[in-house]
Amino acid sequence: MSLEKQSRSMEKQSGPPAAVSPVPSGPSASAEEASAASPAVPAAGPKSVRASDADRDRIADILRDALAEGRLEPEEHAERLDALYRSKTIGELEPLINDLPAGQRASASPSLAPAQGPAGVAQRAPGGPPAAPEAKNVVAVFGGATRKGTWRVGAKINAVAVCGGVDLDFTEAIFDQQHVVLNVVAFWGGVDIKVPENVTLRSGGSGIMGGFEVHETESPDPRAPVITVQGVAIMGGLEAKAVPGKRLRDLSAD
């Protein structure tokens, strides 16, 4: 058999060449590539809203009350506080109080977050009282945190020391409010508070296998700042006292 006949015979046996699928092109291919390259965006919803300091303050108050009522063990309280101050969204806050009475009430509301106005300023709810100013948080976990010098002091400060130390020096501070509440939690840690000698210093806390020592003073000036230290020291310590010779400016000069 000639080479030409062999070639024709092989073509008949193999059949026509297989069709090759075309490579996708055009708008549909571009859309698929863009979708694959775009970053993942969290699903929208109330629980994906970023948590504010005020949201964390409310949860910290609930956890502190639960500890005082015996609903939480000290170790559980410390673990939840650590998770609280690492949280980013409302959805991360809710599981921390879901098994507490206050958490059941909070879950009935649409969101833990208050209405926010321009620049994150808390707004007054319709028909309700004015929103409270956000608190300052001073947290030390396996480390230290200090506030001193001419720093501004609001109506509420949360100080948390977990295997660390917090130092709050009010001797040169600027008081935006006359009444200041310090919420303190010291777990295997220490909190040291210094105040001017012409302010009123009061105590509202306790120690559990630890020390909660506040050297109370009463200022004769009715316009002097009133600092109330409340909270708990668990296997840790807190000391608050006035520093002799450190005084606020003449309050009658306003």
Side-chain angles (χ1 to χ4, degrees), residues 202-223:
R202 297 171 182 168
S203 175
S206 58
I208 302 175
M209 297 182 68
F212 199 98
E213 186 177 0
V214 177
H215 302 268
E216 294 186 328
T217 60
E218 288 290 333
S219 174
D221 192 326
R223 287 178 291 185

Side-chain angles (χ1 to χ4, degrees), residues 163-229:
C163 299
V166 171
D167 292 318
L168 301 177
D169 189 342
F170 295 92
T171 56
E172 298 179 5
I174 300 172
F175 290 83
D176 292 332
Q177 304 287 335
Q178 182 182 15
H179 293 273
V180 179
V181 176
L182 301 182
N183 293 315
V184 179
V185 175
F187 179 73
W188 284 89
V191 178
D192 187 32
I193 301 170
K194 299 182 180 69
V195 303
E197 63 179 0
N198 61 335
V199 304
T200 295
L201 181 62
R202 297 171 182 168
S203 175
S206 58
I208 302 175
M209 297 182 68
F212 199 98
E213 186 177 0
V214 177
H215 302 268
E216 294 186 328
T217 60
E218 288 290 333
S219 174
D221 192 326
R223 287 178 291 185
V226 178
I227 302 175
T228 302
V229 184

Side-chain angles (χ1 to χ4, degrees), residues 10-54:
M10 292 177 64
E11 288 178 358
K12 291 180 180 180
Q13 294 176 1
S14 60
V20 179
S21 300
V23 177
S25 61
S28 61
S30 301
E32 291 177 0
E33 293 175 359
S35 175
S38 61
V41 178
K47 293 187 178 182
S48 65
V49 174
R50 303 284 286 193
S52 68
D53 288 341

Side-chain angles (χ1 to χ4, degrees), residues 96-191:
L96 299 176
I97 58 171
N98 275 349
D99 57 349
L100 301 174
Q104 305 303 316
R105 295 192 295 271
S107 62
S109 60
S111 172
L112 291 172
Q116 297 291 319
V121 178
Q123 298 296 301
R124 177 176 179 171
E134 293 189 358
K136 292 181 181 291
N137 296 319
V138 185
V139 182
V141 179
F142 289 98
T146 302
R147 295 292 185 274
K148 62 181 181 179
T150 54
W151 60 297
R152 304 195 75 89
V153 178
K156 185 177 181 182
I157 298 174
N158 298 319
V160 179
V162 180
C163 299
V166 171
D167 292 318
L168 301 177
D169 189 342
F170 295 92
T171 56
E172 298 179 5
I174 300 172
F175 290 83
D176 292 332
Q177 304 287 335
Q178 182 182 15
H179 293 273
V180 179
V181 176
L182 301 182
N183 293 315
V184 179
V185 175
F187 179 73
W188 284 89
V191 178

